[in-house]
Amino acid sequence: MELTPAVMQGLGAGPWAERVGDLEATRDLVAELRSLATTDMETEFISTLLECEPQPLPWQVGEALAEVLLEHWHGALWVWDGARDRRTRKASLPGADLVGLCVADGSARLLFGEVKSSSQQTSPPSVMTGSDGMIDQLKRLSGRDDHLTLMKWLRSRCSTPEHRAAYQTATGRWVKSMGKDIQLFGCLVRDTTPEPKDLSDRAAVLAKTVVEPMHALLTAWYLPVAMTTWPQHVGVLDVG
């Protein structure tokens, strides 16, 4: 799907920016630090640190956009912002990019997925192929080797009754299907002209692995601005 500038502007001023920077937690931290400052020098020290906060990297912006779009269009439920788990701002965390729940038709499935961002002109881009490409990563997620680790991570972050109930439903389906009833998502985020070949051949490869009751969906989202500028199109926290 090609995103128009108007859609990008709306997302960048709201949910997209929130996911990129975990702005709610950042606001709380900033307010707490400023409440602890009792002198002008301490206040200035905190403001200086905040002004030096680096911009998110393009791949982080692409990952956050995928989460927002999957939530809006495909029933994804995120119980936790993965940005909170980074030990450094530029870190790429190991494991699946997407871990959550897929809620639809009054039920829920475990959701695992991968996000790739690319400005490469070839179709499909190299991020879709090879042992480190999206399709091979999704094929590994279709197996059960990493499911318990991902489920443990997810379970500990289900802090509301709604999330806990959805998690119980999803894990019940997982047990009854012996680890097969899950939802896989593969999201490609691009700054190029839309091209069906970005997904078509790769989808055929993945289809050989995914059989009912497992579900998988590959999506491609095309932005009308260069990938290097993506961080500039999401709102930032006002530290003034």
Side-chain angles (χ1 to χ4, degrees):
M1 180 177 178
E2 188 171 11
L3 298 182
T4 65
V7 171
M8 283 189 57
Q9 184 177 8
L11 291 172
W16 190 7
E18 288 288 341
R19 300 257 1 141
V20 170
D22 188 16
L23 294 188
E24 181 181 358
T26 303
R27 291 188 194 96
D28 290 345
L29 174 61
V30 170
E32 182 178 280
L33 291 175
R34 284 178 168 161
S35 72
L36 296 172
T38 58
T39 68
D40 290 343
M41 289 185 64
E42 291 170 351
T43 300
E44 183 178 353
F45 163 70
I46 293 170
S47 295
T48 300
L49 287 181
L50 293 172
E51 290 168 0
C52 293
E53 184 75 0
Q55 276 193 333
L57 298 174
W59 66 263
Q60 293 173 328
V61 177
E63 191 170 300
L65 178 63
E67 292 179 353
V68 170
L69 295 173
L70 290 179
E71 182 177 28
H72 182 73
W73 292 105
H74 298 290
L77 174 63
W78 311 114
V79 305
W80 186 257
D81 192 327
R84 297 178 186 178
D85 292 327
R86 296 184 186 126
R87 298 297 182 267
T88 177
R89 182 64 182 268
K90 297 184 178 181
S92 178
L93 296 173
D97 294 332
L98 303 172
V99 182
L101 300 162
C102 185
V103 179
D105 302 324
S107 189
R109 282 191 178 94
L110 293 170
L111 183 166
F112 305 137
E114 297 291 341
V115 181
K116 299 293 184 183
S117 297
S118 175
S119 59
Q120 192 175 18
Q121 293 298 313
T122 56
S123 295
S126 59
V127 294
M128 299 294 290
T129 62
S131 60
D132 292 326
M134 180 192 292
I135 300 306
D136 275 21
Q137 289 177 333
L138 290 175
K139 288 167 69 175
R140 287 193 288 272
L141 285 174
S142 72
R144 292 169 289 188
D145 292 352
D146 294 327
H147 286 187
L148 288 179
T149 299
L150 297 174
M151 290 161 65
K152 182 167 65 175
W153 180 93
L154 185 63
R155 181 180 182 276
S156 66
R157 288 158 176 80
C158 289
S159 58
T160 70
E162 175 197 7
H163 292 166
R164 286 193 293 270
Y167 176 83
Q168 289 295 327
T169 298
T171 53
R173 293 178 65 155
W174 182 85
V175 169
K176 289 178 173 59
S177 66
M178 293 184 288
K180 297 177 181 178
D181 194 352
I182 62 173
Q183 174 70 55
L184 297 177
F185 280 116
C187 302
L188 176 64
V189 190
R190 300 270 265 153
D191 61 357
T192 58
T193 301
E195 173 53 65
K197 289 192 297 184
D198 283 346
L199 298 182
S200 57
D201 292 346
R202 300 290 85 204
V205 172
L206 182 62
K208 297 176 182 178
T209 300
V210 176
V211 295
E212 289 284 354
M214 188 180 299
H215 286 196
L217 177 66
L218 297 183
T219 64
W221 307 91
Y222 299 88
L223 278 61
V225 294
M227 180 174 167
T228 55
T229 70
W230 291 355
Q232 301 170 24
H233 292 271
V234 291
V236 295
L237 183 69
D238 182 7
V239 297

